[in-house]
Every structure is written in C-alpha cells, then in structure tokens.
Amino acid sequence: MARPRDDLPHYIHGMPAPIPDADQRFAAIAEPPVLARTGERRWTGDEAKRLTGRQVAGPETVQEKVVAVHELVRAEDVASRVGTDLLRRPEVAFKAMTDTTARHVVNRAQARQGVEIVRQRTPAMQHIEHTAEFLDLVGACAHFVTQAGRRR
C-alpha cells in the first residue's frame, strides 16, 4: 500500500481526497504534473485542485478562466457592467451575436427597453395600458358567461 510523501505539504495529500481508493490517490500524488510555465514536474496547490476538478486560484486554461470570471460576476450589477464593457468590443459583440440564444435575449432586452422609453415619454401610456387590461378582463368575463350559458 502506498504512503504519503514526506516531501509534499499535507494540503497536497488532502486535495485528491475525493478519489475513494487510497492506492489510486497516492499513485496520482506520486506522479507530479509538468508545470506549463516552467516545464518542471512538481505539485502546486492549483495542480492538486486540477486533479479533482476544483476551481484554481491561478486559472490557465480558457475553461478555468471562464469559471473564474463567472464567480466574479455573480452579482447582477457587476455582471451588467462587465457585460456592457465587453459588448463595447466589436469582436466580442460579433462573436456573442453568433450565439442564437444570446442574440434572442439581447433582442428581447432591446424591445423591453423600447417599451420603457415609450412609457417614460408618453404619460398617457399607463392609462392606455390599464384600459387595454380592463378590456381584456371584460372580454374574458363575457367569454366565461357565454360558455357558462351554453353548458346549461
């Protein structure tokens, strides 16, 4: 049975804890990864986290960077500001609009924003909307009464 390595910090041994088999866990630890920056074989905290798919402190791959950015923009106000800043970059906006879902969401947001602008500029709009809602309600009631009368 494999044993912990004395030359490694304790936290490195704890990182692969999700690997259930102890022999597999120590076998993984026995083969340090090659560091992309230096080319040497050794363990770092981030390499130990990568072994088990955890978020790293110093992201290197595109996916790790995307995960880190998503963590940073969890709050809506932060996400809105970052999204706006990114969409001001023509290449980013172009690539974002090739995604069908993103394009539809942006289109819906533009339509919603247009409605809000009309509401702000046209004070009577709220009255018109209430009138339209009232007419919808009257129509629904009339339909209900008609249907109830037919079932007798």
Side-chain angles (χ1 to χ4, degrees):
M1 182 171 158
R3 292 274 172 229
R5 289 179 43 183
D6 292 333
D7 62 330
L8 290 177
H10 179 71
Y11 72 92
I12 297 292
H13 287 282
M15 289 294 178
I19 300 173
D21 182 77
D23 289 334
Q24 288 178 345
R25 199 168 42 248
F26 289 118
I29 291 171
E31 286 292 321
V34 176
L35 301 179
R37 291 188 179 147
T38 63
E40 68 177 301
R41 282 188 156 287
R42 73 179 182 91
W43 282 106
T44 65
D46 278 349
E47 293 303 327
K49 289 176 183 175
R50 280 185 187 98
L51 176 67
T52 56
R54 295 183 192 164
Q55 186 175 346
V56 296
E60 292 178 358
T61 68
V62 171
Q63 184 58 36
E64 288 173 349
K65 291 175 184 179
V66 167
V67 169
V69 168
H70 279 275
E71 269 303 305
L72 292 170
V73 297
R74 277 190 171 179
E76 290 295 319
D77 57 338
V78 176
S80 298
R81 181 133 177 227
V82 170
T84 301
D85 290 347
L86 291 174
L87 287 172
R88 287 184 180 138
R89 294 165 58 179
E91 280 303 308
V92 172
F94 177 77
K95 287 181 182 175
M97 292 304 104
T98 61
D99 180 286
T100 305
T101 303
R103 189 173 55 252
H104 288 299
V105 170
V106 168
N107 289 340
R108 272 190 249 126
Q110 286 176 318
R112 182 175 154 198
Q113 191 174 45
V115 168
E116 290 300 317
I117 290 170
V118 169
R119 280 188 184 137
Q120 289 172 358
R121 292 183 182 170
T122 313
M125 182 57 102
Q126 188 174 13
H127 179 68
I128 292 168
E129 287 175 339
H130 284 184
T131 302
E133 289 170 0
F134 177 74
L135 290 174
D136 286 344
L137 179 61
V138 169
C141 289
H143 180 72
F144 174 76
V145 169
T146 304
Q147 292 300 318
R150 288 184 182 166
R151 291 195 175 134
R152 284 184 175 195

